[in-house]
Amino acid sequence: MEFFSVGAQARGFIAIGAEAEGVIAIGQVARGVFAFGQMATGVVAVGQLARGVFVLGQLGVGVFVLGQGAVAIAKGTGMIAIAGRAGGMIPISALPAPAEEGWKPATIAKVSELEQGVSSYGWMRARFDFVGAEVRATVDGQARPTWKINEEVARAVRDEGKREGWIRVERSEVVSARQEGGFREAAERTIELTITSATWIARTSTARIVAAVIGMAVIVAGVSAISLYPVIEVFASLMSAR
């Protein structure tokens, strides 16, 4: 393989021509590891019509794509984008948005801060389960059987199937006087933690999961046929030229 090739049909490590093929290819029709042209095919492809892994083009097809029109397996951004994760003016994402992209509290408290009285309330992530007929919260991977749960929160778990969310926990002190043998002893202070409200994290429905699987299968098949297989052919061609 020539190191530098220029011509109507150029083929070299650096190729420049109407039809160029090389590690670095520049031309009207460019094929290479780095391809720049009106029609570009490569691992990194830049062109009016571009296809590859990392793609920038007016119309781009690949794994990661930025273009006026974009079709991508992983991430695509454009005026019209169809991708696993799409962004832009008209984004069509095959994959559902992650639950973590939903609402989050401005500040997140630690259980130890409430127990030690550093904070009087705080927000934290929780999961709810049933222990018999009782609703119980799990925070930081640990069940919290002594925590009280607001009835509205408990009803959402029982009747609406809510399981995960951000919970507001409030700290309070309960003072009770103990009396034994006719004598009143010093008051006993008990710390109570109560879940007063919750902002639930939406679950992805089964139908949405099925749609995501079908959508990704179509995108992967289409991008592979249009973009990835041609890139593999370019690699094979370049390797055979050595």
Side-chain angles (χ1 to χ4, degrees):
M1 178 188 291
E2 295 181 34
F3 179 77
F4 189 79
S5 176
V6 178
Q9 293 184 327
R11 196 161 189 262
F13 184 87
I14 300 174
I16 301 174
E19 294 184 15
E21 182 176 288
V23 175
I24 300 173
I26 303 171
Q28 187 172 2
V29 178
R31 301 173 67 225
V33 179
F34 300 92
F36 307 89
Q38 188 172 359
M39 298 178 64
T41 302
V43 176
V44 176
V46 179
Q48 190 171 2
L49 301 175
R51 56 186 182 175
V53 180
F54 303 95
V55 176
L56 174 63
Q58 187 171 357
L59 175 60
V61 180
V63 180
F64 300 92
V65 180
L66 175 63
Q68 190 170 3
V71 180
I73 293 175
K75 176 68 175 178
T77 304
M79 289 185 64
I80 300 176
I82 301 173
R85 291 265 184 260
M89 186 175 295
I90 304 177
I92 302 173
S93 295
L95 298 175
E100 292 298 329
E101 291 183 2
W103 179 88
K104 284 186 179 180
T107 56
I108 300 174
K110 296 180 180 179
V111 175
S112 59
E113 293 175 345
L114 294 177
E115 291 177 338
Q116 296 168 12
V118 176
S119 302
S120 60
Y121 72 92
W123 287 90
M124 55 193 70
R125 181 77 175 268
R127 188 187 77 249
F128 291 88
D129 298 290
F130 287 101
V131 178
E134 180 186 355
V135 176
R136 183 170 295 179
T138 297
V139 176
D140 293 338
Q142 183 177 341
R144 308 291 175 172
T146 61
W147 290 16
K148 293 185 176 181
I149 302 176
N150 178 285
E151 180 56 32
E152 183 178 347
V153 175
R155 190 183 305 116
V157 177
R158 285 195 304 265
D159 301 340
E160 301 175 25
K162 304 295 187 183
R163 288 295 181 272
E164 291 187 65
W166 291 99
I167 59 171
R168 178 186 167 102
V169 182
E170 296 186 3
R171 180 186 191 275
S172 60
E173 290 188 8
V174 178
V175 181
S176 60
R178 295 184 302 176
Q179 188 169 350
E180 295 181 6
F183 295 95
R184 178 170 293 182
E185 297 184 352
E188 181 181 14
R189 294 180 178 272
T190 304
I191 303 301
E192 288 188 353
L193 298 180
T194 304
I195 300 172
T196 58
S197 62
T199 298
W200 303 104
I201 295 173
R203 281 178 154 187
T204 303
S205 67
T206 302
R208 183 66 182 92
I209 294 173
V210 171
V213 171
I214 294 173
M216 285 304 300
V218 171
I219 291 173
V220 170
V223 171
S224 296
I226 296 171
S227 182
L228 299 185
Y229 292 155
V231 170
I232 293 173
E233 289 178 351
V234 171
F235 264 98
S237 178
L238 291 174
M239 294 297 293
S240 65
R242 292 190 172 188

